Amino acid sequence: MSALPSQSLLLIADSCLVWGHRLSEWCGHGPQLEEDIALTNTALDVIGQARLLYQLYSSRAGNGLTEDKLAYFRGPDAFQNVAIAAVENGDYAQTVLRSLILSAWFVPLWRALAVGRDPELAAIAVEAEKAARVQRRHASDWTIRFGDGTAESRRRIEHAISTLAPWVPALLATEIDGTDRAHRENEWRAFVAEVMAEATLAAFPVNANGDHHAFEANAKQALSALLHEMQSLAREHPEAVW
Amino acid sequence: MYTQAIDTDPTLRTSAASDDGAAEDAFLARIADDEKIEPQDWMPEAYRKTLVRQISQHAHSEVVGMLPEGGWITRAPSLKRKEILLAKVQDEGGHGLYLYAAAETLGVSREQLIDALHSGKAKYSSIFNYETKTWADIGTIGWLVDGAAIMNQVPLCRCSYGPYARAMIRICKEESFHQRQGFDIVRALCEGTPEQKAMAQESLNRWWWPTLMMFGPHDSDSTHTGQASAYGIKRISNDELRQKFVDVTVAQAEFLGLSIPDPALRWNPARGHYDFGKIDWDEFWRVVNGQGPCNEARMNDRISAFEEGRWVRDAASAHAAKHAARAVARAGALEAA
């Protein structure tokens, strides 16, 4: 067995948890009941993946760590998530677009890990890839509807693109041991290009322009607020079992 | 999740008048034979109206019921509890969906029903107008509120209207999971630190009486029950269900080491049931009529989700129309070629 380095495990797990948290914020507030249920489903998928990865990490670390200690008792500086996962939801267009960006990133990542050298992780990745494909389909369908829907929906999806695009270069540059980063990036670019074309939108602007320090500071601030809420009750009762 | 006894609206306490006496006799005979009524069958207008009102009230309760618990998903104190709560609230959305679909078989649209909710014309279970102040409330809602809902809902699996009865079979199975997960949250609190146990007791103190109110007014004040029973919609009376709930729940509270906040609660060997104190019906009617702690917040949340989602639904319709028009144009071009 050749285990994936623990930092990569944490990066994937934290990204799943943080994204799942954002999706769960929609629960009960979706634009229609079917969408409420769909977003909850994605949240359940990715939080479930985070749990499996934390459990794997903990079993390998072997120092009394648990999934809940990892999720609830680390601060924002210790979280390894890709920054875009923590960005606030914004409107439904921004939520859907973030799902497209992340699921299109996760599909090739899980596929690579599913055939990788770490069999325990591969077992998780096989199922996770199937879920990510469903998420990617759902997010693509809505991106297309928004681009090729009404003037209002087009305005909103274009605004979402300009809001989220600055986080994409760092996402695509993220190295995960045991996977071919360039290959994953190519698949992401090809998939997103196809969706943008069908949505009658301009090509997705992947470029490294902009004030990266400002983006990083914003992302950290959003993550801090998210963790403050998520961890509040658990930290109030550190000895409790729930 | 949650039906409330259906007889809280005096406008429905009318008889099932029909011009077609023979058809109505045949209809009542089918009900008496425990036959299911299906959407294409003749039915008295009063039966249809009662069902639309009850099923939509139930659907609205499911959807509004997502809010008090949904607010704790982001703060659930463990990942396991977070997943369970997400799945539970998702189920409630699913129940809303089946129930709106069941109501649509009676000739109303989901839009009409939602409009009636938002305008205040339609009611939902008033239990959701109470606050979820602590994590223990998530346990108590599952244990007590879902427990009471199951008492109300299991008889509906045998109700005379086929689409409703079939929806309720699935809903009741999921409610059973909801009740168990709630009890398990409370059990964990009661086995936990003194602060956790106190949190569970404080929550029980707040939810006990509103839960008993969920069964609706006393049978003696409930003139609609007779008609709903004749139609095979309501099978067991409010007071019978409430008594059953109290009898079952007292033993569960004892097991947990919690005290039910009712000094009048005691076993009555002559009746073979627990006697319990007087329900504050003034509070019940206040909350039903809009003066509960969260009535306004719940409606604001629902209305703003609906209004803020309008552009999303419009985009989906516009895209579907464009897509269909292009398909027609392509087919026309092929034919011309």
Side-chain angles (χ1 to χ4, degrees):
Chain A
M1 182 178 95
S2 175
L4 192 74
S6 54
Q7 282 313 100
S8 291
L9 267 187
L10 267 190
L11 186 154
I12 305 169
D14 290 344
S15 299
C16 288
L17 178 62
V18 168
W19 181 27
H21 180 103
R22 286 297 184 214
L23 290 166
S24 77
E25 290 175 339
W26 276 100
C27 194
H29 305 276
Q32 63 183 26
L33 215 35
E34 288 84 347
E35 283 308 291
D36 222 303
I37 293 168
L39 288 189
T40 311
N41 232 40
T42 305
L44 276 169
D45 282 342
V46 295
I47 292 171
Q49 288 151 11
R51 288 188 67 194
L52 291 170
L53 295 169
Y54 286 142
Q55 287 162 11
L56 186 59
Y57 179 94
S58 301
S59 71
R60 289 175 180 177
N63 53 3
L65 270 181
T66 63
E67 60 178 45
D68 287 336
K69 282 188 180 158
L70 288 166
Y72 291 94
F73 293 94
R74 284 182 302 146
D77 290 337
F79 264 70
Q80 309 286 318
N81 59 286
V82 292
I84 192 172
V87 174
E88 285 169 5
N89 282 329
D91 65 4
Y92 203 64
Q94 188 170 314
T95 298
V96 157
L97 187 75
R98 189 232 308 267
S99 290
L100 174 66
I101 291 167
L102 279 176
S103 58
W105 183 74
F106 268 117
V107 168
L109 173 61
W110 289 126
R111 191 189 311 116
L113 296 172
V115 295
R117 290 165 297 149
D118 183 336
E120 289 176 300
L121 178 59
I124 296 168
V126 167
E127 292 307 311
E129 191 212 345
K130 292 179 197 163
R133 282 180 178 279
V134 175
Q135 293 151 13
R136 191 175 65 168
R137 166 85 189 268
H138 179 257
S140 305
D141 286 349
W142 277 104
T143 303
I144 292 164
R145 288 184 191 114
F146 290 158
D148 188 28
T150 63
E152 168 76 354
S153 67
R154 189 176 180 87
R155 182 189 67 72
R156 284 176 182 263
I157 195 73
E158 284 174 342
H159 180 71
I161 291 167
S162 64
T163 304
L164 292 180
W167 272 277
V168 170
L171 174 74
L172 297 180
T174 304
E175 297 282 356
I176 305 281
D177 297 276
T179 70
D180 180 340
R181 191 203 59 75
H183 181 76
R184 290 190 286 108
E185 175 172 345
N186 288 340
E187 183 169 334
W188 187 95
R189 284 176 180 272
F191 187 87
V192 171
E194 210 173 299
V195 174
M196 292 294 127
E198 198 173 340
T200 70
L201 292 164
F204 195 94
V206 182
N207 58 54
N209 296 334
D211 180 349
H212 282 276
H213 292 299
F215 289 130
E216 274 173 31
N218 285 345
K220 189 64 82 183
Q221 202 175 8
L223 177 66
S224 297
L226 181 156
L227 293 181
H228 180 73
E229 177 170 2
M230 186 178 86
Q231 299 174 339
S232 56
L233 178 61
R235 286 187 177 222
E236 209 179 304
H237 303 270
E239 303 305 320
V241 175
W242 303 96
Chain B
M1 116 178 329
Y2 318 88
T3 48
Q4 179 167 292
I6 60 173
D7 35 16
T8 53
D9 183 349
T11 60
L12 280 174
R13 294 171 188 168
T14 54
S15 67
S18 165
D19 293 336
D20 193 340
E24 177 143 4
D25 288 347
F27 171 84
L28 290 172
R30 290 181 64 195
I31 301 246
D33 283 348
D34 264 347
E35 267 187 55
K36 288 280 178 268
I37 306 300
E38 297 298 337
Q40 65 274 26
D41 296 343
W42 184 90
M43 62 186 78
E45 184 56 16
Y47 177 81
R48 195 188 71 81
K49 276 190 176 162
T50 302
L51 277 170
V52 167
R53 180 175 175 279
Q54 177 167 342
I55 298 171
S56 64
Q57 177 177 304
H58 188 170
H60 299 327
S61 300
E62 297 283 356
V63 175
V64 176
M66 296 170 79
L67 298 170
E69 291 172 283
W72 277 92
I73 290 170
T74 55
R75 293 173 287 165
S78 76
L79 293 181
K80 180 181 161 193
R81 294 291 180 203
K82 188 191 285 286
E83 273 200 305
I84 292 172
L85 184 58
L86 257 171
K88 178 184 192 273
V89 180
Q90 184 190 39
D91 281 351
E92 286 155 12
H95 296 175
L97 217 45
Y98 315 148
L99 290 163
Y100 283 128
E104 283 180 313
T105 65
L106 292 157
V108 286
S109 68
R110 203 201 299 185
E111 290 69 27
Q112 287 172 303
L113 298 174
I114 289 173
D115 196 46
L117 173 70
H118 293 175
S119 69
K121 199 173 142 201
K123 298 277 189 231
Y124 56 90
S125 182
S126 50
I127 196 79
F128 302 116
N129 292 318
Y130 289 87
E131 281 177 273
T132 41
K133 291 180 181 171
T134 70
W135 170 251
D137 292 349
I138 302 307
T140 308
I141 287 176
W143 172 35
L144 296 186
V145 176
D146 290 317
I150 291 169
M151 297 269 174
N152 263 332
Q153 291 176 355
V154 166
L156 293 172
C157 298
R158 294 185 293 115
C159 94
S160 58
Y161 190 57
Y164 191 27
R166 289 188 287 273
M168 290 313 302
I169 290 169
R170 176 157 184 179
I171 289 172
C172 282
K173 284 181 183 164
E174 292 176 350
E175 291 302 344
S176 176
F177 148 66
H178 296 176
Q179 201 265 348
R180 287 199 305 271
Q181 68 83 37
F183 185 83
D184 194 59
I185 289 175
V186 181
R187 180 201 53 72
L189 294 175
C190 291
E191 291 173 0
T193 64
E195 290 82 9
Q196 285 176 295
K197 179 90 183 269
M199 197 192 287
Q201 181 65 58
E202 189 274 334
S203 177
L204 174 61
N205 294 348
R206 280 184 289 113
W207 288 90
W208 175 253
W209 291 105
T211 304
L212 292 192
M213 294 173 198
M214 283 176 67
F215 295 94
H218 286 307
D219 297 345
S220 53
D221 303 323
S222 177
T223 54
H224 187 56
T225 296
Q227 182 185 312
S229 298
Y231 280 157
I233 298 170
K234 191 176 179 74
R235 300 277 187 182
I236 306 177
S237 80
N238 297 352
D239 283 334
E240 282 176 278
L241 288 168
R242 187 167 16 241
Q243 182 69 62
K244 195 173 165 193
F245 174 79
V246 171
D247 290 347
V248 167
T249 309
V250 170
Q252 293 170 351
E254 280 170 4
F255 173 83
L256 293 166
L258 295 174
S259 307
I260 288 179
D262 179 1
L265 185 80
R266 62 181 55 85
W267 178 251
N268 182 332
R271 290 202 310 123
H273 292 292
Y274 281 93
D275 290 337
F276 52 94
K278 284 195 174 130
I279 292 170
D280 179 355
W281 291 111
D282 290 341
E283 176 181 328
F284 173 75
W285 288 111
R286 265 199 313 278
V287 180
V288 166
N289 291 321
Q291 277 93 52
C294 298
N295 296 59
E296 201 181 330
R298 301 289 183 244
M299 267 311 90
N300 286 344
D301 276 357
R302 281 314 315 152
I303 291 169
S304 70
F306 188 79
E307 291 304 327
E308 284 165 24
R310 191 180 293 282
W311 71 268
V312 176
R313 300 188 297 277
D314 289 348
S317 303
H319 177 71
K322 285 183 190 178
H323 200 68
R326 284 177 202 139
V328 169
R330 272 198 301 273
L334 273 177
E335 215 166 280

